[in-house]
Amino acid sequence: MLSVSSWFRQGTFALLCLGALRAAPALAQRPAGPNRPADLLDPSFHRGRRDALRQQMPAGSVAVIFTAPVRNRANDVSYIFHQSPDLYYLSGYDEPDGVLVLFKEPQTVGGQSGVTEALFVQPRDPKRELWTGRRLGKDGAQRELKLQYVADNKDFAGAGIAWNKFNQVLLLDLPTDVRDEADNPADLYDLVASFRQQAGVPTDFNPRLTALHQLIQRYGVVNGDNLRPYIASQASAQPAIAADAYVQAFLKADTKAAREKVVASKPQSRFDGGTVSDVLDQLREVKTPEEIRLLRQAIRISTVGQQEVMKALKPDMSEMEVQGLHEYVYKKYGAEFEGYPSIVGAGANGCILHYETNDKPRIGQDLILMDCGAEYHGYTADVTRTAPPSGKFSPEQKQIYELVLAAQDAGFQACKPNVPFQAPHQAAEKVIAEGLKKLGIIKTDAEVRRYFPHGTSHYLGLDVHDRGSYGPLKAGNVITVEPGIYIPEGSPCDKKWWNIGVRIEDDVLITQSGWENLSKDAPRTVAEIESLMAQPSALDDFKLPELK
């Protein structure tokens, strides 16, 4: 799954009334109850993450992290709830309408002294749970998640947190576009509104803007030439950023001396939208052994999907059918979700980088690009393979495929601790540029971006494009290595290359001495793919009756 992030980073109760079913909040990913998986992360993991964040919080500060919003799909139907990865990482809580508060120094909350962490959760409600599933509630969250202080979300406003006495209030982006459920006085809308009122958050406060201020502080002098285009792109996308005097001053500063002057004039505010994000970048980019265990499972499931689908591929299949086979394998092995919308593109569709409609009725003889990843207990794989539905690569398909394969091998060799994050991309891009010149598809190195327009790597974890600093690679990073070549119809080259799209993507663990390909079980070479596709698939006997 290709990352588009920049170098600098990146419900109401349902009831029957006069025959109508009112909108219901989405279910949690892993509902409370006796059937919760036994291999979820242990509460000690989440406690360790909270402690690590608290250690880096400045003196006299408080950090506030809200749950994700429930999103409406259509009319009275919501999307399946997916928790904010940051809140899940820090707490293990997997339900909506909650907020986590971390204190640098112990506080008194709800009459309890010595509190350094407080989680406010949606309460138990048998009538609602009849419709939408079990909730942990206050007692369940205390028992299962083992936080120091847990209370119902309706108690957040009256918990007695002395917001005005903190030197700094540390935030992530506050949830926006959140529905106000009229019959739920402590939904996410009300929690955010209560926090804003209690803490005195200015109505025009923009956490993203304060994060950009911190980037200017950190990189504005030492790496200003690279930072300016990024800040300019953010300003062009958000009028509030474009209108900010500090941002304007930085963009106008065209010398080192001018930038030093701008950096020294940073506006002061109690409300900090960058520190928590920066710390979480540092923490989440290095995976713990517990996280690597879950990632291995997600990746292994995804590689089995690639294997079985390759064996089952036939020219008369549709893209949608191929997508369904991948996702059936995920469910069979207990993966709750796909980590991102599956990309299954045949022929010309394989040349669309984030093609997600997957609606071609017959894939035919063209190569099919399958960028698919299972999400297992919150952690996602990201594996791409490209295969010929006929079982054999044509000469042109093979040449492009083997060029991408050679580029990926070069990218692998560049994976080691302490090298720049961009090293795998630079190695892969060099191979592709030389190869395309030899094939007569381009004439100069500068033209390579026409056919290889994306980066080669991104972090992988709770998000498919996971948090990270994008600094030098470190042992414990899990990254993708995913070079590709895409030659759409109409390209300025021989027509025999048109509509060939190839991406090969693997998930790589950076080790103390080098790298490990976690997705190596999915075949990569032409010989391996053609040999596997000649074998029967466990999916071959999955026959449905014809619809009449």
Side-chain angles (χ1 to χ4, degrees):
M1 177 68 168
L2 308 175
S3 174
V4 296
S5 59
S6 164
W7 182 77
F8 276 97
R9 283 275 306 172
Q10 63 199 205
T12 56
F13 171 48
L15 74 159
L16 288 171
C17 180
L18 299 177
L21 181 64
R22 293 177 58 196
L27 289 171
Q29 295 181 53
R30 292 167 288 275
N35 297 318
R36 285 169 65 86
D39 57 345
L40 293 176
L41 291 168
D42 189 81
S44 62
F45 167 84
H46 303 289
R47 181 174 62 249
R49 302 298 84 196
R50 294 193 297 276
D51 289 344
L53 170 57
R54 189 181 298 107
Q55 287 173 10
Q56 296 193 55
M57 289 167 56
S61 67
V62 58
V64 184
I65 301 100
F66 289 92
T67 57
V70 173
R71 292 299 187 192
N72 178 256
R73 183 177 183 272
N75 193 20
D76 57 358
V77 177
S78 296
Y79 285 102
I80 296 293
F81 179 73
H82 194 289
Q83 186 60 280
S84 155
D86 289 324
L87 187 129
Y88 183 73
Y89 183 74
L90 294 169
S91 69
Y93 186 60
D94 202 28
E95 300 177 24
D97 297 337
V99 57
L100 174 67
V101 185
L102 302 178
F103 306 100
K104 179 65 175 182
E105 295 87 14
Q107 305 292 319
T108 297
V109 180
Q112 180 176 323
S113 61
V115 174
T116 58
E117 54 185 33
L119 179 66
F120 297 86
V121 304
Q122 60 178 357
R124 296 294 307 274
D125 186 327
K127 291 182 179 180
R128 291 174 183 254
E129 291 178 51
L130 173 66
W131 288 95
T132 59
R134 298 183 183 92
R135 300 177 177 186
L136 283 173
K138 175 179 65 175
D139 294 337
Q142 185 84 66
R143 181 181 66 252
E144 299 289 341
L145 306 179
K146 303 187 187 309
L147 276 88
Q148 187 181 23
Y149 178 90
V150 181
D152 287 343
N153 55 16
K154 62 183 175 60
D155 296 326
F156 176 64
I161 299 173
W163 298 101
N164 290 335
K165 81 174 189 178
F166 296 108
N167 298 329
Q168 288 183 279
V169 181
L170 312 178
L171 306 169
L172 294 173
D173 287 350
L174 294 175
T176 57
D177 189 25
V178 181
R179 285 192 169 192
D180 183 8
E181 301 169 17
D183 58 351
N184 185 353
D187 61 8
L188 185 61
Y189 182 95
D190 293 305
L191 290 173
V192 173
S194 175
F195 164 69
R196 280 183 169 275
Q197 188 274 325
Q198 292 184 78
V201 181
T203 56
D204 62 349
F205 174 72
N206 184 337
R208 185 63 189 144
L209 182 58
T210 63
L212 292 180
H213 285 185
Q214 290 191 342
L215 284 178
I216 292 172
Q217 287 282 293
R218 182 179 301 176
Y219 301 110
V221 175
V222 299
N223 209 347
D225 289 338
N226 285 328
L227 180 58
R228 285 180 75 193
Y230 174 69
I231 298 294
S233 70
Q234 295 295 299
S236 66
Q238 294 193 37
I241 292 174
D244 181 71
Y246 189 63
V247 169
Q248 290 178 352
F250 174 73
L251 291 177
K252 292 176 182 176
D254 54 4
T255 66
K256 182 178 180 181
R259 290 172 189 158
E260 287 175 342
K261 185 176 180 180
V262 169
V263 167
S265 66
K266 178 180 179 291
Q268 300 300 310
S269 173
R270 288 181 62 239
F271 300 97
D272 178 333
T275 295
V276 171
S277 186
D278 287 347
V279 174
L280 287 172
D281 282 348
Q282 297 166 30
L283 295 177
R284 284 178 54 183
E285 75 178 0
V286 178
K287 302 300 186 285
T288 68
E290 302 99 316
E291 292 179 288
I292 292 172
R293 171 176 55 82
L294 294 179
L295 276 166
R296 286 185 184 277
Q297 183 73 347
I299 293 165
R300 178 67 180 122
I301 291 170
S302 303
T303 61
V304 172
Q306 293 283 359
Q307 292 169 349
E308 293 305 319
V309 171
M310 282 187 190
K311 290 188 286 187
L313 272 179
K314 300 292 186 294
D316 62 352
M317 287 181 167
S318 69
E319 291 173 344
M320 196 175 298
E321 182 179 1
V322 175
Q323 173 187 350
L325 293 176
H326 277 280
E327 294 173 8
Y328 169 75
V329 173
Y330 301 168
K331 300 294 186 183
K332 185 68 175 177
Y333 286 110
E336 294 90 345
F337 299 103
E338 307 82 58
Y340 52 93
S342 297
I343 299 169
V344 179
N349 295 335
C351 297
I352 301 171
L353 302 185
H354 274 186
Y355 173 75
E356 297 171 356
T357 51
N358 305 339
D359 61 358
K360 188 175 182 179
R362 186 177 186 276
I363 60 178
Q365 301 294 331
D366 292 325
L367 290 179
I368 184 166
L369 187 155
M370 303 175 290
D371 185 340
C372 306
E375 181 184 305
Y376 186 81
H377 297 356
Y379 287 81
T380 180
D382 190 1
V383 182
T384 306
R385 290 296 185 265
T386 308
S390 67
K392 293 288 183 181
F393 289 84
S394 73
E396 291 78 18
Q397 291 170 349
K398 181 176 179 180
Q399 285 177 287
I400 298 299
Y401 187 92
E402 290 190 330
L403 176 52
V404 175
L405 186 69
Q408 191 189 37
D409 285 336
F412 287 152
Q413 296 308 314
C415 291
K416 60 189 73 173
N418 303 315
V419 305
F421 190 89
Q422 297 82 7
H425 174 72
Q426 292 166 351
E429 187 177 58
K430 181 178 180 181
V431 171
I432 288 179
E434 290 299 317
L436 290 178
K437 285 190 294 184
K438 287 180 180 178
L439 292 174
I441 296 174
I442 63 174
K443 295 180 180 179
T444 67
D445 289 354
E447 296 175 83
V448 70
R449 298 298 290 175
R450 175 188 291 274
Y451 302 110
F452 179 23
H454 59 79
T456 300
S457 299
H458 57 78
Y459 295 105
L460 192 64
L462 283 166
D463 285 299
V464 66
H465 302 144
D466 209 29
R467 279 188 174 275
S469 66
Y470 287 84
L473 292 175
K474 304 172 184 176
N477 290 162
V478 178
I479 66 170
T480 61
V481 178
E482 51 174 316
I485 296 174
Y486 317 89
I487 312 176
E489 184 174 345
S491 297
C493 62
D494 194 311
K495 292 182 179 180
K496 69 180 182 179
W497 306 114
W498 287 4
N499 293 330
I500 295 178
V502 174
R503 182 160 67 248
I504 311 171
E505 178 179 20
D506 282 279
D507 302 339
V508 172
L509 171 65
I510 305 300
T511 65
Q512 293 292 343
S513 58
W515 56 280
E516 177 189 351
N517 183 0
L518 301 178
S519 50
K520 62 183 182 301
D521 291 336
R524 295 176 57 244
T525 69
V526 167
E528 289 171 343
I529 290 171
E530 292 183 343
S531 175
L532 183 73
M533 294 184 73
Q535 299 176 25
S537 168
L539 300 170
D540 288 339
D541 295 329
F542 186 61
K543 305 292 184 183
L544 295 174
E546 290 189 18
L547 297 178
K548 298 180 181 180

